[in-house]
Amino acid sequence: MIWSWEYAWSVLPLLLDVIGTTLLATLFGFLIACTFGMVLAVLGRSRFRVIRWTVNGFIEFVRNTPLLVQLFFLFYALPLSLGISMSAFTTGVIGLGLHYSTYLAEVYRSGINGVEKGQWEAARALNFSKQRTWTRIILPQAIPPILPIMGNYLIVVFKETPLLAAITVMEMLSRAKNIVSRDWRPTEPYTLVGILFLVISLLLAALVSLLEYKMAQRQSK
């Protein structure tokens, strides 16, 4: 028999047992991406050419190299070259965060560029400091329009978490591989992992759609 419901129900709790690791890696990785992406977006507008070049170079390098290679470097090469050693989970979270911060930096940049020039001029006329200009005027106007795009990247980060299996993070795919190695039945574990990813991705997509709807309602008022 290709598919056994009895066997599928028996391995499902083992997969659900590590779903928290997958969700935590997604959440923490996305938070790092949002935070560092904002830093990159702001530094990318620096009046100092060296800073702009450095930021743009970092973004291009990270975006044009595979995430899996970056994870291997952080987990295997960094401890040997610099003596910096982290747990597999921490390495995976940082790897996800740094990689997608470069994408979110561009999202932030588009939102910032969408703020009218008159807002910058008004801040200068009122003698606002740079910090106050960013926190009180620019960011409150730049972030709301890009929230749906950021939500889409949350889904992307979630779907990339299986790559963490390559650095021994025990998430859903790793657990499924262990089950397959033990029982030599690949159909049920891998199918269940796919279904779980599909269900959670659809739930996240529904939340993003709800966010878009709420924002559209707010803008129409």
Side-chain angles (χ1 to χ4, degrees):
M1 180 179 288
I2 297 177
W3 179 271
S4 168
W5 282 107
E6 181 180 357
Y7 178 70
W9 286 116
S10 70
V11 300
L12 181 59
L14 299 176
L15 297 174
L16 293 177
D17 185 54
V18 294
I19 198 171
T21 302
T22 300
L23 294 176
L24 285 176
T26 301
L27 175 61
F28 292 143
F30 185 68
L31 289 176
I32 291 175
C34 290
T35 304
F36 194 56
M38 174 66 71
V39 173
L40 292 175
V42 173
L43 291 179
R45 298 178 61 90
S46 173
R47 68 176 184 271
F48 298 108
R49 189 175 300 176
V50 174
I51 295 178
R52 294 200 307 272
W53 285 354
T54 301
V55 169
N56 291 334
F58 175 81
I59 289 174
E60 289 301 317
F61 175 79
V62 172
R63 291 184 65 174
N64 288 285
T65 53
L67 173 58
L68 185 58
V69 174
Q70 295 166 16
L71 290 172
F72 278 166
F73 177 82
L74 290 174
F75 189 64
Y76 295 110
L78 204 59
L80 294 176
S81 58
L82 298 178
I84 300 175
S85 181
M86 298 175 288
S87 68
F89 179 80
T90 301
T91 302
V93 167
I94 292 175
L96 285 171
L98 290 180
H99 186 82
Y100 282 99
S101 68
T102 59
Y103 291 90
L104 286 175
E106 294 302 305
V107 175
Y108 284 129
R109 183 184 61 80
S110 66
I112 293 169
N113 290 342
V115 178
E116 295 181 0
K117 293 183 179 179
Q119 300 295 315
W120 297 90
E121 295 170 357
R124 285 194 293 268
L126 294 172
N127 199 29
F128 278 13
S129 65
K130 288 185 178 181
Q131 179 181 357
R132 194 175 183 188
T133 299
W134 279 103
T135 57
R136 296 294 183 86
I137 297 179
I138 304 304
L139 293 182
Q141 297 181 68
I143 291 180
I146 63 173
L147 283 177
I149 304 176
M150 296 174 67
N152 289 331
Y153 273 108
L154 173 63
I155 299 173
V156 173
V157 172
F158 170 69
K159 292 191 292 186
E160 291 281 30
T161 54
L163 288 176
L164 303 188
I167 58 171
T168 72
V169 175
M170 186 55 66
E171 42 74 62
M172 286 193 292
L173 181 60
S174 300
R175 178 58 59 84
K177 290 171 65 177
N178 288 347
I179 294 172
V180 172
S181 298
R182 182 193 68 187
D183 300 334
W184 292 97
R185 290 186 63 99
T187 304
E188 292 88 348
Y190 289 143
T191 301
L192 289 173
V193 169
I195 292 173
L196 288 172
F197 269 97
L198 175 63
V199 170
I200 297 174
S201 294
L202 290 175
L203 290 174
L204 292 174
L207 290 175
V208 173
S209 297
L210 179 61
L211 177 62
E212 292 178 356
Y213 175 74
K214 293 292 185 181
M215 288 185 59
Q217 276 192 324
R218 182 177 300 179
Q219 292 175 355
S220 64
K221 291 182 180 179

